[in-house]
Amino acid sequence: MRMKDPIPQFTDIITKASKLNLAYLHLLESRVMGAEDCEEGERLDFAYALWNGPLLVAGGYKPANAQRLVDTEYPEKDIVVMFGRHFISNPDLVYRIKEGIELGAYHRETFYTSSAVGYVDYPFSPKYLASEFV
């Protein structure tokens, strides 16, 4: 939201939400500056400390930094990392992550258009196509 200091406001929201017996809290670590992606964004460590239930976290994660977040930085937390843009550009995303195959790039310029281009035309990895799953 580009607030000077969002932590007090969101601390209040998370604290109040924790009293509602919600199934999970879904957070987004911003990895976008304007229309461009960036590797480092706003961290949500304060929110992880406040929430005691399951967390869904998104924000331009790749398999390595997702695994680091879950296994190394917050092993005591129940965190599920979401892969929105990469899920669109990798129809075999789960297979790629499991097999350590590099993720295919997405094309931001095709987002939010009324065309199927950029949504259903990304290729499967050659290894997936040669696998028993096809």
Side-chain angles (χ1 to χ4, degrees), residues 3 39 43 90:
M3 299 165 64
E39 286 298 315
R43 292 282 309 208
N90 295 274

Side-chain angles (χ1 to χ4, degrees), residues 4-50:
K4 184 174 182 175
D5 184 9
I7 293 175
Q9 179 176 349
F10 287 99
T11 294
D12 183 59
I13 292 169
I14 293 169
T15 301
K16 288 176 179 170
S18 67
K19 297 174 185 171
L20 299 176
N21 196 30
L22 300 175
Y24 60 88
L25 181 66
H26 189 170
L27 303 171
L28 173 66
E29 289 188 349
S30 178
R31 297 275 198 279
V32 177
M33 297 298 277
E36 300 297 319
D37 293 335
C38 60
E39 286 298 315
E40 291 299 319
E42 300 167 344
R43 292 282 309 208
L44 296 173
D45 299 297
F46 79 95
Y48 302 152
L50 291 168

Side-chain angles (χ1 to χ4, degrees), residues 87-126:
F87 200 82
I88 291 171
S89 62
N90 295 274
D92 54 351
L93 177 72
V94 173
Y95 183 83
R96 286 180 189 235
I97 292 172
K98 181 181 172 204
E99 297 295 321
I101 300 169
E102 185 175 342
L103 300 183
Y106 52 82
H107 305 291
R108 181 176 290 284
E109 66 276 5
T110 64
F111 292 176
Y112 311 110
T113 64
S114 59
S115 169
V117 173
Y119 285 98
V120 296
D121 60 341
Y122 289 101
F124 288 87
S125 65

Side-chain angles (χ1 to χ4, degrees), residues 51-109:
W51 188 258
N52 291 318
L55 289 159
L56 304 181
V57 180
Y61 279 90
K62 294 185 176 127
N65 58 354
Q67 185 170 6
R68 186 172 49 255
L69 177 74
V70 172
D71 293 342
T72 305
E73 296 175 20
Y74 292 97
E76 74 286 358
K77 293 289 186 175
D78 187 9
I79 297 177
V80 176
V81 177
M82 314 305 284
F83 290 89
R85 290 170 277 175
H86 286 297
F87 200 82
I88 291 171
S89 62
N90 295 274
D92 54 351
L93 177 72
V94 173
Y95 183 83
R96 286 180 189 235
I97 292 172
K98 181 181 172 204
E99 297 295 321
I101 300 169
E102 185 175 342
L103 300 183
Y106 52 82
H107 305 291
R108 181 176 290 284
E109 66 276 5

